[in-house]
Amino acid sequence: MTSSGRLPRGGHIRPAPKTVCQSRYYIIRIMQFPDDVSAYLRAIDQWAIQPMPELTTNDDFMTLGMELMNHAQYLLLIGISLAPSQMQAENGVARRRAIVLGHLVRIHKLYDALRYHTANKERDICHIFTRLIVETSSKAQYLMKAKNSSFRSFVLTSYRPEKEMLEDLRQKAATRPLLPIERRMVASIMRSLKEDRVSLKALKASKHRELDGKTFRQMLSDIGDDSGYVYGFGMGSHWIHGDWFDLRCNHLEKIHGKYRALWGHGTPDPRGVGPATIICLSCVLQYIKWNRSDPGRVVLPTIRSLLETAHRLDAEHEISLR
């Protein structure tokens, strides 16, 4: 889809990545959308402005929440796939923009997985994907405000495990011939470094283990979200790392002072749906502005309208808990 919001010639497009274009640096898959995008957007607009029904039970809230997630998933796909020009839509983007684009595509996939596990009533699994969404969206926002040096840092620090592997294999090679699998590992790493134009000298000289040498708390502070570390990233670490808090809440039950396996998942509620949806829609809004890919304001108003609905659902559920 181009910046004017016009559909490609013929006006018929499908929801699967069919076209593959070779750019200067990467192969970019151009997403092809469902028929009559404008009609979908109007339908979402109409749904979003409707008064909320009476919501009393968790099922009431989650029925509306799942509808919200379905609409949000579609808007994420559309918003991420917009291009500011026909040339970019056909040829793809260079690495700097590809890094941001890749974060947005990752958000789309994580949100889709969250939607799936929410529908299956698997609350503990939902927590994991929500935490991953927080991390990915925060990095995307940071990079959209970053300088060129940050993108070089992003690529270089991504090779931290490979750097350690090469050093370990170098030490092994000094005492014995490398095994076939070890030689293949070295060759694979070297191919990747060459493709990304990262020299061994630069890799060895790199001292930073994190993007721009900053902790995640510092990155959140840079994007104006100081409280996000404790309430989003930090709390979410329970579910990622499986600490005692996670085990006690989701995987064990205490009966008469003893613990047993808890095989159930727990039922999600809007406290998971609302914030995750708000994070994703807010991030794609920022991406569209950063990418200047909707100057005709074809998609932006609909995303904002659905974002307001997500906030309303979140507020209504908070009231119900008082």
Side-chain angles (χ1 to χ4, degrees), residues 15-44:
K18 297 293 186 182
T19 305
V20 180
C21 298
Q22 179 72 53
S23 74
R24 181 179 176 185
Y25 301 115
Y26 293 90
I27 294 177
I28 304 294
R29 290 186 176 274
I30 306 302
M31 300 302 298
Q32 297 180 315
F33 309 124
D35 295 343
D36 199 353
V37 173
S38 296
Y40 274 83
L41 296 178
R42 287 195 299 270
I44 294 174

Side-chain angles (χ1 to χ4, degrees), residues 3 5 38 57 146 172 174 177 184 221 233 236 249 278 284-285 309:
S3 59
S38 296
T57 68
K172 285 183 170 65
R184 292 198 301 271
S221 179
F233 187 81
C249 290
I278 291 168
V284 79
L285 270 178
T309 302

Side-chain angles (χ1 to χ4, degrees), residues 28 76 80 93 95-111 132-144 146 150-151 153-155 157-158 211 216 219 279-280 283-284 287 290:
I28 304 294
L76 288 175
I80 296 166
V93 294
R95 187 168 70 181
R96 180 176 177 274
R97 288 190 173 273
I99 288 172
V100 177
L101 173 61
H103 278 78
L104 270 293
V105 174
R106 177 177 163 87
I107 288 170
H108 173 270
K109 293 176 180 179
L110 290 171
Y111 189 78
L132 293 172
I133 285 171
V134 168
E135 181 175 0
T136 307
S137 64
S138 299
K139 282 187 178 180
Q141 291 176 65
Y142 177 84
L143 287 165
M144 280 187 272
S150 295
F151 293 90
S153 174
F154 179 82
V155 173
T157 55
S158 296
L211 172 58
F216 206 80
M219 281 195 286
I279 288 170
C280 292
C283 193
V284 79
Y287 172 74
W290 176 82

